[in-house]
Amino acid sequence: LIEPQDSAFLPFVRVYGVGLGTQLLTMLKEKRVNYVSVIEPDVDLFFSSLFVIPWSILHQYFSVRGNRLSLIVGDTPENSIKRERAFINQSFPFLTSNFGLLTSINDDAVLERLLSAAEVEDAVSYRSSTAGWYDDQKIGLFHSLRNIKIRRRVFTGEKVNGFFRVFIIGSGPSLDNSIPYIRQHCDQAIIFACGTAITPLLDAGIVPDFHVVQERFWSEATLPNLKNKHLLRQIRLLKLNVVCPENDYLYKEVYVFQKFMDPGSALMGAGFPATQGVNPTVTNAGVAFALELGADEVYLFGVDYGSGLGGGGWHSSKTIYDTEGVKASYADEDLFETKGNFGVSVMTTPALSWSKQVTEKLIGRNTDVKFFNVGDGASITGAAECRMDNLAAVSVLPNPKADAVKKI
């Protein structure tokens, strides 16, 4: 069955199950199609189609400029959909906004897994491909100009010499159980407090080395309450060029990273590299900054990208989401299950799943860096899963942490 049937033109058709393949020829006779993704989990069925239909003709059709064919055979439904998503992103990310579906799989369980996985990937892709507005670019450009005018120090691409590790602190719910460990070992790692995670850290008596910010408007309302705000004078701010400088005065020092594919970053010229993978959430910026600076080990605390199946909220206690009743931008998104650490599923949203994928890409590009995912949040490919109770003490740094901080 192909849907929709009321148009002779279908820019994209998903074919789940080849069968003998005759339906592919019928489809191309009746419809004008540009992109087709074929998934056949059963290798034997695909082999049979080689004796029934002229695949060489299909190859010729999709070799014409403007047409593309993806053929995925013998893989699991979940891996097949990930591979299909890569094909879609390389072709045109918006293809899934209107597509045809042709199914020839008799195994209902396999078909359901394919459709469910595709639905999740489509939701994540839609969330990522529709992010950003014209006004965001205008505001970011204005803030970039202000940061240049007041001569904020900008990352030059130079990495820190010598071994150093980073604790990246997100404000996920697992952070609460990690606080004692972070406090005990804070002298053996550079502490990056990402966004609102700074509040529970300061409340626990932990003064991070850096506060990471990537929101264009980082308002004073999202900072710790007045009793702790004076502690910001001991903390350095790491921010994107698009962040307003209004609250820079609160910090000890301020450093700027240029955002990749941003108009404001182009103002500085090629001598100042632009950093990729800094969105959609601030933990992405934290991971990206640590890698740009040359971290050798990265521990992720409270970087959960989800919440337990039983609920309990998206954030650590004592953040503004808990104490001030602030609502996360993704709180109203559709929920779905995803793989969690230690084989336990967690609930996530398209925005959080997108953020996790960005972190996984950053990790995948830096295989020489050791990543540790601490807590019971979502599983992060490339990061070793660590239970808080079993997390060993980190080794003593070869040089004082203060030396690495000064080099940054």
Side-chain angles (χ1 to χ4, degrees):
L1 174 66
I2 297 181
E3 297 177 349
Q5 299 185 32
D6 56 352
S7 172
F9 172 59
L10 290 172
F12 176 48
V13 175
R14 283 169 154 153
V15 179
Y16 293 166
V18 171
L20 295 179
T22 55
Q23 75 276 30
L24 295 175
L25 297 179
T26 302
M27 174 185 72
L28 295 180
K29 289 178 181 178
E30 297 181 355
K31 304 285 185 180
R32 182 164 61 90
V33 181
N34 290 128
Y35 299 93
V36 171
S37 167
V38 178
I39 295 177
E40 177 50 74
D42 192 322
V43 177
D44 290 336
L45 281 177
F46 173 72
F47 186 74
S48 299
S49 72
L50 297 178
F51 297 92
V52 178
I53 64 170
W55 278 96
S56 59
I57 294 179
L58 291 174
H59 179 265
Q60 291 175 8
Y61 177 91
F62 287 105
S63 295
V64 175
R65 184 178 180 180
N67 296 345
R68 290 191 69 189
L69 171 67
S70 170
L71 183 59
I72 302 167
V73 179
D75 209 341
T76 66
E78 291 74 21
N79 285 342
S80 295
I81 294 300
K82 289 185 181 297
R83 293 169 64 183
E84 180 187 67
R85 172 51 54 188
F87 165 75
I88 293 170
N89 289 341
Q90 292 168 5
S91 302
F92 188 57
F94 299 100
L95 285 174
T96 51
S97 62
N98 183 24
F99 64 90
L101 177 63
L102 180 60
T103 63
S104 302
I105 294 179
N106 293 324
D107 190 326
D108 292 340
V110 172
L111 180 59
E112 178 60 29
R113 287 170 62 188
L114 280 169
L115 295 175
S116 296
E119 183 179 5
V120 170
E121 286 293 332
D122 288 352
V124 174
S125 178
Y126 177 81
R127 185 67 171 80
S128 62
S129 60
T130 57
W133 302 90
Y134 172 68
D135 284 347
D136 290 339
Q137 302 302 317
K138 288 175 57 180
I139 294 167
L141 180 59
F142 176 63
H143 290 169
S144 297
L145 288 167
R146 290 182 64 187
N147 284 313
I148 292 172
K149 185 176 182 180
I150 59 180
R151 297 182 179 277
R152 288 288 176 246
R153 296 177 65 182
V154 180
F155 177 62
T156 62
E158 183 178 352
K159 296 185 182 296
V160 176
N161 291 324
F163 176 90
F164 76 98
R165 72 172 58 89
V166 177
F167 286 178
I168 293 180
I169 317 297
S171 58
S174 72
L175 174 61
D176 292 344
N177 292 331
S178 302
I179 290 292
Y181 184 93
I182 296 169
R183 184 191 294 113
Q184 182 180 357
H185 298 282
C186 62
D187 290 338
Q188 302 305 321
I190 296 176
I191 310 296
F192 280 15
C194 296
T196 57
I198 195 169
T199 308
L201 289 180
L202 291 181
D203 283 347
I206 302 170
V207 180
D209 301 292
F210 295 94
H211 188 197
V212 179
V213 174
Q214 44 88 277
E215 293 285 352
R216 291 173 178 81
F217 286 108
W218 179 246
S219 67
E220 202 162 339
T222 58
L223 293 171
N225 48 33
L226 288 175
K227 68 176 182 178
N228 284 328
K229 197 169 293 184
H230 68 281
L231 294 176
L232 295 176
R233 294 300 301 171
Q234 304 176 37
I235 302 171
R236 300 159 183 82
L237 177 64
L238 293 181
K239 70 174 189 176
L240 290 175
N241 58 292
V242 300
V243 176
C244 177
E246 178 182 345
N247 292 314
D248 289 2
Y249 75 96
L250 295 168
Y251 296 87
K252 181 178 182 178
E253 294 174 335
V254 179
Y255 307 128
V256 174
F257 282 80
Q258 301 291 98
K259 182 181 179 182
F260 184 69
M261 294 289 287
D262 179 79
S265 297
L267 299 173
M268 295 296 293
F272 298 90
T275 302
Q276 299 186 43
V278 296
N279 290 107
T281 69
V282 68
T283 58
N284 297 129
V287 172
F289 293 172
L291 292 172
E292 289 277 43
L293 292 168
D296 299 280
E297 286 183 359
V298 177
Y299 286 72
L300 306 175
F301 295 96
V303 184
D304 293 343
Y305 301 129
S307 181
L309 295 181
W314 300 108
H315 295 90
S316 163
S317 62
K318 298 185 179 180
T319 64
I320 59 171
Y321 301 100
D322 179 58
T323 60
E324 305 295 331
V326 176
K327 195 173 185 180
S329 60
Y330 45 78
D332 292 329
E333 292 186 340
D334 292 335
L335 305 181
F336 58 89
E337 287 188 31
T338 191
K339 179 184 177 183
N341 280 343
F342 323 117
V344 179
S345 296
V346 299
M347 298 304 296
T348 190
T349 72
L352 290 176
S353 184
W354 169 27
S355 183
K356 183 175 82 78
Q357 289 179 7
V358 171
T359 293
E360 290 173 336
K361 288 180 181 178
L362 289 170
I363 294 174
R365 296 173 189 157
N366 296 271
T367 55
D368 56 327
V369 181
K370 293 182 179 180
F371 277 83
F372 303 90
N373 182 12
V374 184
D376 52 5
S379 177
I380 299 173
T381 302
E385 300 176 359
C386 301
R387 294 186 186 275
M388 191 65 253
D389 296 340
N390 298 332
L391 189 59
V394 295
S395 60
V396 176
L397 291 174
N399 297 300
K401 181 176 80 167
D403 292 350
V405 172
K406 288 179 181 178
K407 292 177 182 178
I408 292 175

